[in-house]
């Protein structure tokens, strides 16, 4: 069983590395769109989407040393990773999970206000709202990073190839439960529900019955986070006419933005 699990770990590592490349590429493209297209930069309603893309891009880059280290030090007989290096190099994972969840909730709240309470939505200064959501996400992400180290002293763990094995049971319980957010919109929210909330619920439930899912499949949280970042990027490009025109080098007659909210499509022309 140990040798089989080690083979599964290696396959998971290469899958995550591939997802990281795709996530960095897609979200890097979105960041380039925001830099090149002034209409996107001036649109305050897309600022949270930009923050989400930047977070996914940085996480894909910063978490690469963690995955590469485990690939280079993988052993088919016995895994014995440096616990301190694992805890430090994988810290982007818990931080981005929390930041992504809070930004996603912020997007959902903003879109629902726009649809169901348009008068209140127009009174909200979107730039301030976006900054508050981002700072809230960063604050909770830093809190998770502090708890990550405070509750998990470096301890050697044989034959377990993921950071989830190196953190304490207390942190895993907290992590699984705290990431169970209710996302109720479309597009980005659906991908986050599928790739982030569902794994968090599984971890919380499985850990409560005394079984570690990390020891079976390895760092699946990293794969979920990268997959969510890729889907978020694809959704943004698919729903934004200016981005598609820029990719196809077609001349534009007017600047448009299509926003899909709760089953409705709203087209804004500039």
């Amino acid at each position: 069983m140990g040798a089989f699990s080690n083979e599964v770990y290696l396959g998971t590592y290469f899958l995550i590395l591939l997802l990281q490349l795709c996530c960095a590429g897609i979200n890097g493209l979105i960041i380039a769109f925001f830099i090149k297209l002034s209409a996107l930069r001036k649109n305050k309603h897309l600022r949270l989407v930009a923050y989400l893309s930047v977070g996914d891009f940085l996480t894909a880059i910063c978490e690469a040393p963690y995955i590469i280290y485990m690939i280079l030090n993988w052993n088919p007989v016995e895994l014995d990773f440096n616990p301190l290096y694992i805890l430090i190099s994988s810290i982007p994972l818990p931080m981005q999970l929390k930041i992504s969840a809070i930004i996603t909730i912020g997007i959902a709240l903003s879109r629902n206000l726009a649809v169901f309470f348009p008068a209140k939505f127009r009174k909200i200064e979107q730039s301030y709202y976006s900054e508050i959501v981002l700072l809230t996400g960063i604050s909770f992400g830093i809190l998770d990073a502090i708890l990550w180290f405070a509750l998990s002293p470096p301890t050697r763990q044989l034959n377990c190839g993921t950071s989830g094995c190196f953190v304490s049971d207390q942190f895993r319980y907290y992590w699984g439960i705290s990431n169970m957010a209710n996302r109720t919109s479309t597009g980005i929210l659906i991908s986050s529900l599928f790739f982030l909330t569902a794994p968090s619920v599984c971890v919380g439930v499985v850990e409560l019955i005394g079984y570690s899912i990390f020891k079976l499949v390895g760092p699946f949280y990293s794969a979920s986070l990268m997959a969510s970042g890729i889907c978020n990027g694809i959704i943004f490009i698919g729903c934004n006419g200016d981005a598609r025109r820029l990719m196809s080098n077609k001349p534009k007659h007017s600047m448009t933005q299509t926003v899909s909210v709760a089953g409705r499509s709203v087209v804004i022309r500039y």
Side-chain angles (χ1 to χ4, degrees):
M1 181 64 183
F4 174 75
S5 295
N6 290 352
E7 298 290 343
V8 173
Y9 290 154
L10 185 61
T12 304
Y13 298 156
F14 279 106
L15 172 62
I16 294 172
L17 194 60
L18 176 61
L19 292 174
Q20 285 175 336
L21 291 173
C22 295
C23 184
I26 290 176
N27 286 283
L29 183 63
I30 292 175
I31 294 171
F33 289 157
F34 275 93
I35 294 174
K36 188 174 181 62
L37 298 174
S38 60
L40 294 181
R41 294 195 303 274
K42 294 177 181 178
N43 192 327
K44 298 178 182 179
H45 302 289
L46 290 178
R47 187 164 295 182
L48 283 177
V49 177
Y51 291 155
L52 195 61
S53 291
V54 171
D56 289 333
F57 176 81
L58 291 177
T59 302
I61 299 298
C62 294
E63 204 191 18
Y66 161 61
I67 299 299
I68 293 174
Y69 167 81
M70 291 191 294
I71 291 176
L72 296 178
N73 291 274
W74 177 84
N75 187 295
V77 178
E78 181 181 77
L79 299 180
D80 186 10
F81 298 131
N82 185 315
L84 182 59
Y85 182 87
I86 292 293
L87 289 173
I88 294 175
S89 63
S90 62
I91 197 62
L93 174 60
M95 293 186 67
Q96 177 60 9
L97 274 172
K98 187 56 61 66
I99 294 172
S100 177
I102 291 178
I103 290 180
T104 302
I105 292 171
I107 295 173
L109 179 60
S110 175
R111 295 301 89 197
N112 286 328
L113 282 174
V115 172
F116 300 108
F117 304 99
K120 292 184 178 180
F121 177 77
R122 285 192 292 270
K123 294 179 181 179
I124 298 175
E125 176 55 49
Q126 288 299 310
S127 59
Y128 293 150
Y129 174 81
S130 299
E131 303 302 328
I132 290 173
V133 171
L134 177 63
L135 289 176
T136 301
I138 292 175
S139 298
F140 277 98
I142 292 174
L143 174 61
D144 278 14
I146 294 173
L147 293 176
W148 177 271
F149 289 106
L151 298 176
S152 308
T155 305
R156 187 182 180 194
Q157 298 285 345
L158 294 178
N159 288 324
C160 192
T162 173
S163 60
C165 299
F166 294 87
V167 296
S168 65
D169 292 339
Q170 294 89 339
F171 182 83
R172 285 201 296 267
Y173 296 152
Y174 157 77
W175 200 23
I177 299 300
S178 67
N179 285 324
M180 291 181 189
N182 180 27
R183 291 120 184 190
T184 56
S185 190
T186 56
I188 290 175
L189 308 180
I190 291 177
S191 74
S192 296
L193 177 67
F194 184 78
F195 290 112
L196 298 182
T197 302
S200 296
V201 172
C202 291
V203 168
V205 172
V206 172
E207 290 289 345
L208 286 175
I209 63 176
Y211 184 79
S212 178
I213 195 170
F214 297 106
K215 291 184 178 180
L216 179 63
V217 297
F220 76 100
Y221 251 137
S222 294
S224 298
L225 187 60
M226 292 300 102
S228 176
I230 292 170
C231 287
N232 291 345
I234 292 174
I235 289 168
F236 173 81
I237 294 173
C239 293
N240 192 279
D242 297 326
R244 295 197 303 273
R245 278 194 295 273
L246 185 62
M247 292 181 65
S248 59
N249 293 322
K250 292 181 179 179
K252 60 179 183 294
H253 302 290
S254 64
M255 302 298 289
T256 65
Q257 176 205 346
T258 303
V259 180
S260 180
V261 181
R264 309 178 186 182
S265 293
V266 179
V267 178
I268 303 174
R269 298 185 180 275
Y270 300 88

